[in-house]
Amino acid sequence: MTLVHTSIADQPRYDCRDAYVETLAELAHADHRIVGVVNDSVGSSKLNSFRKAFPDRLINVGIAEQDMVGVASGLANGGRIPFVSAASCFLTGRALEQIKADVAYSNTNVKLCGMSPGVAYGELGPTHHSIEDIAWLRAISNMTIIVPADPIETAAALRWAAASDGPVFIRVSRMSVPKIYPEDYEFELGKAITVREGNDVTLISNGTVLWRALAAAERLAEEGISARVLSMPSVKPLDTDAVVAAARETAGIVTAEEAVAGGGLGGAVAETVVQQHPARVSILGFPEFAPTGSAGYLLDRYGLSPAGIADAARKLVTTGT
Amino acid sequence: MTLTVEHATLPVLGRLPIHSSRAEQIAHIAEAAKQIRIQDLKLVHHAGAGHIGGDFSAIDILATLYGAVLDIAPETVNDPERDRFILSKGHVAGALYTTLAAFGFLPVAELATFLKPLSALNGHPNRNKVAGVEANTGPLGHGLPVAVGHALSAKLDVSLRRTYVLVGDGELQEGSNWEAMMAASQYQLDRLTVIVDRNRLQQGATTKETNDLDPLPEKASAFGFAVVEVNGHDHGELLDVLSAVPFRPGKPTFVIAHTHKGHPISFMSNNVAWHHRVPDAAEFQQALTELERPRFTGELV
């Protein structure tokens, strides 16, 4: 049998929320301490089946995000492991102080799952976009921030979070993405994964943009540019060793993420590079409130398409900027 | 600043034997409240900061809870089945620390570190630093949602443990409280008791002048709570009410404790100036005298 090579862009696509709810149910079956906490977001979090299987363990506080995060903190005090599931824009923005004071400052065992982050709600506009979530939470001590890139990594991150003790924020996208990781992938906190080897330039990405970075590397390869692609699901803590190695071994770094261009993955990488091994970093993300438009349109518009990422990398290799 | 011996001589009060009479319990609470106020006065005076008005407003409630109501003790401070108490009005941390010290949760000597660099005794309580503190509070409107989570966890565990949360009345201006009250009612959390320290004063004005809470009993009732009003400085009333909750099966309890900021000090009581004013030497002496103690003779350096 001959294997036909297909590009990452041609792979079947998945909604990471399916892996989310499937894994949460699996974890809840195995551990009675696990509960879901939602803000009327049962449907948008795809948690209907969870609610059916565990009616008492899906706590819906209604449209009340501050209460939702406080309640989760209290549940954790009683020995439960709450997975808070709500649109990332409201979870992180509306309840930011609760995340700081009730969860992070007290190092409470609450897992915050930001659903439909970035520009997933493209047409609904910047009130519903959640491009700031990573930057906001990255400034808070004790927060772990994970941005999975595919359904396999989403499931792996959830399993890791359930087994860890302390505050975790996981972004769970509704945007369709191809599978990138092997089925037996296990999440390791603070570790980058080299998903493609390369020596000319390094692309660092995560979440819904990772496959686009891989597709960009495929394009660059056709032009004779060898791009290393690092998957960086763990924004905090960051794998600074991998970043420094990329800065040392390649002409520069392009970061690409579905988030504000600064303060998130790009900011974390730039801070590391500036302090440990100065090198050129090109940060791709959203430099402003995005206009209305589908998520795909918005990603393309702000250079987060395979072509846009390839352009940034090519420019870095050829002109050094 | 050095500490006088006097500063760290709070007598540690234990729990009363289980079959103590009501009169014995009230006497125990009264003695605790008096000792806690004296120590708290010294605490604030020494630290040169604190919220003595709100402290004194809440101390009778704290003394009643720790002296005769809550099923918690220093040796069971981490027992999953302990009752939970959350001080939502976290700026009166001094009153909580002093209460915890009075009942043996915290070494009395540690009170001397209040607000000092690297002290566990921050201006607002932290649950990782101080045994007996169940939630980080300080920013207002946080304690009640967390308390709802505590009560929900107890309900999921089919446990009889109770949750008490003390909120300031001004604090009820934060919308998160009303979100939490709706959820408490929806989940029929009748092991949850909200106590409002209804002193009618906030930082710089009365609640009525600022964002009036009245009619508070009707509001709480409309949100699904069983509402009780008490004199928040009457130990007998507090004891009777707080040990008898829930008043209505299936409903969370809302106790409106009518209090005065700065009670019972003549020049502090019900005086908005004492939100976070620090008594000077003369005021300190007078307050001590009014708290029925021999005149303080220790040296304050």
Side-chain angles (χ1 to χ4, degrees):
Chain A
M1 196 168 80
T2 310
L3 285 174
V4 179
H5 173 78
T6 53
S7 160
I8 187 80
D10 300 329
Q11 300 289 327
R13 303 289 178 84
Y14 302 88
D15 179 339
C16 291
R17 292 177 301 171
D18 293 322
Y20 169 76
V21 65
E22 193 179 304
T23 309
L24 195 61
E26 167 198 311
L27 289 165
H29 273 295
D31 188 338
H32 78 281
R33 295 175 300 169
I34 287 176
V35 294
V37 185
V38 296
N39 63 336
D40 193 40
S41 48
V42 180
S44 55
S45 297
K46 290 206 169 192
L47 285 170
N48 279 304
S49 58
F50 184 93
R51 178 168 62 181
K52 200 167 176 186
F54 307 99
D56 297 337
R57 286 159 64 184
L58 186 67
I59 291 148
N60 187 351
V61 300
I63 306 164
E65 291 76 23
Q66 298 178 62
D67 185 41
M68 173 178 68
V69 174
V71 163
S73 173
L75 284 163
N77 174 288
R80 296 278 161 175
I81 305 174
F83 279 74
V84 178
S85 183
S88 199
C89 54
F90 306 131
L91 167 61
T92 61
R94 201 92 180 223
L96 190 60
E97 190 182 84
Q98 278 72 18
I99 292 174
K100 173 185 164 184
D102 304 351
V103 176
Y105 179 42
S106 54
N107 222 357
T108 297
N109 195 26
V110 173
K111 317 304 172 185
L112 304 165
C113 300
M115 310 302 289
S116 308
V119 294
Y121 289 125
E123 295 87 346
L124 302 185
T127 54
H128 286 59
H129 296 168
S130 188
I131 58 175
E132 304 88 355
D133 50 4
I134 298 169
W136 285 340
L137 298 194
R138 204 164 73 80
I140 298 176
S141 301
N142 295 342
M143 281 305 305
T144 289
I145 300 174
I146 305 170
V147 184
D150 77 353
I152 293 162
E153 191 166 58
T154 301
L158 278 177
R159 287 191 203 100
W160 180 88
S164 74
D165 186 19
V168 179
F169 173 67
I170 303 176
R171 262 184 157 199
V172 181
S173 184
R174 72 196 291 136
M175 285 180 63
S176 61
V177 287
K179 284 185 179 174
I180 293 167
Y181 292 100
E183 296 287 344
D184 62 351
Y185 169 79
E186 281 186 34
F187 176 79
E188 197 177 348
L189 186 70
K191 289 291 175 197
I193 304 106
T194 306
V195 289
R196 185 179 172 112
E197 300 282 358
N199 302 311
D200 294 333
V201 63
T202 303
L203 312 180
I204 302 181
S205 188
N206 60 22
T208 58
V209 183
L210 179 60
W211 75 263
R212 292 173 169 84
L214 274 167
E218 289 170 6
R219 288 170 182 242
L220 292 166
E222 288 167 12
E223 302 167 21
I225 297 172
S226 158
R228 177 182 305 178
V229 182
L230 294 183
S231 167
M232 196 69 82
S234 173
V235 177
K236 187 179 178 181
L238 190 77
D239 187 343
T240 53
D241 290 345
V243 171
V244 169
R248 185 179 292 127
E249 294 162 12
T250 67
I253 295 169
V254 176
T255 67
E257 62 190 311
E258 191 189 348
V260 68
L265 174 65
V269 167
E271 288 162 19
T272 303
V273 167
V274 163
Q275 293 179 88
Q276 298 193 34
H277 191 92
R280 188 69 201 171
V281 179
S282 179
I283 298 175
L284 299 183
F286 295 90
E288 60 191 12
F289 288 127
T292 189
S294 71
Y297 166 79
L298 294 176
L299 287 170
D300 290 351
R301 179 186 164 97
Y302 287 97
L304 293 162
S305 61
I309 298 167
D311 285 348
R314 190 184 307 108
K315 192 169 170 227
L316 211 156
V317 171
T318 56
T319 71
T321 59
Chain B
M1 189 184 291
T2 57
L3 288 166
T4 62
V5 173
E6 182 81 6
H7 186 52
T9 54
L10 176 69
V12 175
L13 306 153
R15 280 184 70 82
L16 289 178
I18 198 154
H19 296 302
S20 303
S21 70
R22 180 173 178 276
E24 286 168 329
Q25 288 183 317
I26 292 170
H28 184 66
I29 294 164
E31 178 62 17
K34 176 180 160 186
Q35 297 297 342
I36 291 164
R37 277 198 174 86
I38 290 167
Q39 180 57 51
D40 188 63
L41 175 71
K42 293 175 185 173
L43 196 75
V44 172
H45 188 63
H46 272 266
H51 291 84
I52 197 166
D55 287 356
F56 278 26
S57 179
I59 281 171
D60 294 307
I61 297 163
L62 292 171
T64 306
L65 287 168
Y66 283 87
V69 176
L70 294 171
D71 184 14
I72 48 177
E75 55 277 12
T76 59
V77 73
N78 292 315
D79 185 329
E81 285 305 301
R82 70 192 181 277
D83 285 342
R84 306 296 203 271
F85 170 70
I86 294 175
L87 178 73
S88 191
K89 44 176 289 185
H91 53 286
V92 306
L96 179 62
Y97 300 147
T98 310
T99 303
L100 289 171
F103 290 99
F105 293 84
L106 180 71
V108 171
E110 201 174 330
L111 292 174
T113 71
F114 180 56
L115 307 184
K116 297 281 166 41
L118 304 181
S119 171
L121 307 184
N122 297 8
H124 297 91
N126 179 297
R127 77 175 182 91
N128 300 111
K129 294 180 178 174
V130 183
V133 172
E134 298 284 4
N136 294 357
T137 52
L140 298 175
H142 283 243
L144 184 43
V146 174
V148 169
H150 283 246
L152 261 172
S153 77
K155 187 164 181 157
L156 285 168
D157 290 350
V158 199
S159 161
L160 292 179
R161 64 181 186 261
R162 300 166 298 176
T163 303
Y164 291 83
V165 55
L166 179 62
V167 302
D169 53 356
E171 181 179 9
L172 287 173
Q173 290 160 358
E174 290 279 8
S176 51
N177 294 300
W178 302 92
E179 294 180 1
M181 285 170 68
M182 284 193 283
S185 178
Q186 177 77 19
Y187 282 95
Q188 301 182 2
L189 300 178
D190 60 9
R191 311 287 293 171
L192 170 71
T193 300
V194 179
I195 308 163
V196 183
D197 184 355
R198 186 74 171 115
N199 59 36
R200 295 181 178 269
L201 293 178
Q202 48 197 105
Q203 186 173 335
T206 63
T207 51
K208 192 172 187 61
E209 288 164 334
T210 308
N211 198 352
D212 197 7
L213 295 161
D214 278 328
L216 186 55
E218 287 82 353
K219 282 176 182 163
S221 180
F223 273 70
F225 277 65
V227 182
V228 191
E229 298 192 61
V230 296
N231 176 339
H233 298 306
D234 185 315
H235 303 132
E237 271 192 50
L238 284 169
L239 176 65
D240 292 346
V241 163
L242 295 176
S243 40
V245 293
F247 285 94
R248 294 271 300 279
K251 281 181 178 259
T253 303
F254 197 85
V255 177
I256 301 174
H258 293 283
T259 57
H260 279 158
K261 255 185 174 172
H263 175 86
I265 307 301
S266 58
F267 57 91
M268 290 185 194
S269 187
N270 203 26
N271 181 348
V272 74
W274 284 91
H275 178 75
H276 49 43
R277 186 167 155 189
V278 178
D280 63 24
E283 289 164 340
F284 176 78
Q285 290 295 348
Q286 187 182 340
L288 259 189
T289 306
E290 292 187 20
L291 291 170
E292 299 175 0
R293 287 272 293 180
R295 274 183 69 82
F296 181 66
T297 54
E299 189 183 353
L300 295 172
V301 182

